[in-house]
Amino acid sequence: RKEVEQDPGPFNVPEGATVAFNCTYSNSASQSFFWYRQDCRKEPKLLMSVYSSGNEDGRFTAQLNRASQYISLLIRDSKLSDSATYLCVVKPGNTPLVFGKGTRLSVIA
Amino acid sequence: DVKVTQSSRYLVKRTGEKVFLECVQDMDHENMFWYRQDPGLGLRLIYFSYDVKMKEKGDIPEGYSVSREKKERFSLILESASTNQTSMYLCASVAFGENIQYFGAGTRLSVL
């Protein structure tokens, strides 16, 4: 079983739509969780950390379910500029980050 | 502002050549990483380093080596480049005890 699994997409959504991505992780000892964003032909950049109680940053909401070992990202009121690949990232203890393969989002006018 | 600089954006090399990919960070970070990214395979960790002169193998170290002589610089070496090493290479750094990783812009290497 892969350590971090994501639906590769693509998710094609119209502007203004709400879209949600899920990610599952296999290591129950994982301590820290993140969503990174990667634009086409660019490097990944941190979008947001994911906290146990869930957290929001503007139109973006991240949630963590430790019991089921999944993380979600919700994007409300999608913009064209949200088009990117979203990487689910997990830190299993004192080891390097583990990256999912990413979910591609295309927001269409 | 955080800065991780990779020496080349694009590189074309021939099979069998020795290739050096350089990465420099200006944030005094202890931890540095080299990844390659291929379509459908995501980011794969090649090597990482938690301190000067220290290195650890990642998930796919075969065919690669690294050098960390100074804290700010982490070099990836392809001793004898092969066509299956054609890829996007990404360097990253993070401060000790922190989790947010900062990436360089990447080097797109083609081995012909």
Side-chain angles (χ1 to χ4, degrees):
Chain A
R1 183 182 170 185
K2 294 191 172 54
E3 289 195 64
V4 178
E5 292 202 64
Q6 299 181 246
D7 182 341
F11 285 59
N12 299 313
V13 302
E15 270 186 294
T18 295
V19 61
F21 310 134
N22 288 329
C23 154
T24 57
Y25 60 94
S26 60
N27 189 334
S28 59
S30 297
Q31 298 173 354
S32 304
F33 309 89
F34 312 90
W35 284 101
Y36 275 66
R37 171 195 166 126
Q38 186 173 22
D39 293 308
C40 188
R41 305 183 85 80
K42 299 270 192 176
E43 72 273 23
K45 291 182 180 177
L46 178 69
L47 176 67
M48 60 196 300
S49 301
V50 185
Y51 302 119
S52 297
S53 54
N55 48 297
E56 196 173 295
D57 183 1
R59 298 181 293 109
F60 298 82
T61 300
Q63 292 200 310
L64 168 64
N65 184 320
R66 284 189 187 271
S68 302
Q69 293 180 205
Y70 82 77
I71 307 150
S72 65
L73 177 68
L74 182 81
I75 306 175
R76 289 182 300 278
D77 188 23
S78 299
K79 312 288 185 194
L80 294 175
S81 57
D82 293 334
S83 297
T85 296
Y86 291 84
L87 305 172
C88 177
V89 184
V90 171
K91 186 161 174 50
N94 195 24
T95 57
L97 298 179
V98 179
F99 287 79
K101 293 179 182 178
T103 297
R104 193 151 60 91
L105 170 67
S106 289
V107 181
I108 305 158
Chain B
D1 200 17
V2 166
K3 200 155 178 75
V4 180
T5 303
Q6 293 184 231
S7 52
S8 307
R9 288 301 304 274
Y10 301 94
L11 213 50
V12 180
K13 295 292 181 180
R14 298 220 173 266
T15 302
E17 278 193 78
K18 190 168 186 174
V19 181
F20 292 87
L21 302 183
E22 306 286 349
C23 175
V24 177
Q25 49 93 4
D26 65 358
M27 299 155 289
D28 202 36
H29 285 171
E30 288 77 14
N31 306 336
M32 296 187 74
F33 306 84
W34 275 106
Y35 298 86
R36 64 178 283 178
Q37 187 173 34
D38 302 286
L41 296 177
L43 278 164
R44 292 183 291 168
L45 182 62
I46 304 170
Y47 266 97
F48 60 100
S49 169
Y50 285 155
D51 204 350
V52 175
K53 301 220 186 267
M54 206 226 105
K55 61 184 179 184
E56 296 277 352
K57 291 180 180 179
D59 301 317
I60 52 162
E62 297 78 20
Y64 303 94
S65 62
V66 289
S67 173
R68 185 120 184 249
E69 295 295 319
K70 293 185 178 181
K71 190 177 186 180
E72 67 270 18
R73 186 180 297 269
F74 192 34
S75 304
L76 180 69
I77 304 153
L78 287 65
E79 294 290 341
S80 177
S82 62
T83 54
N84 63 11
Q85 292 178 310
T86 291
S87 187
M88 168 69 94
Y89 289 87
L90 288 155
C91 174
S93 74
V94 61
F96 177 76
E98 298 292 325
N99 290 322
I100 299 171
Q101 227 165 253
Y102 298 91
F103 285 85
T107 296
R108 193 167 289 279
L109 172 67
S110 295
V111 183
L112 306 177

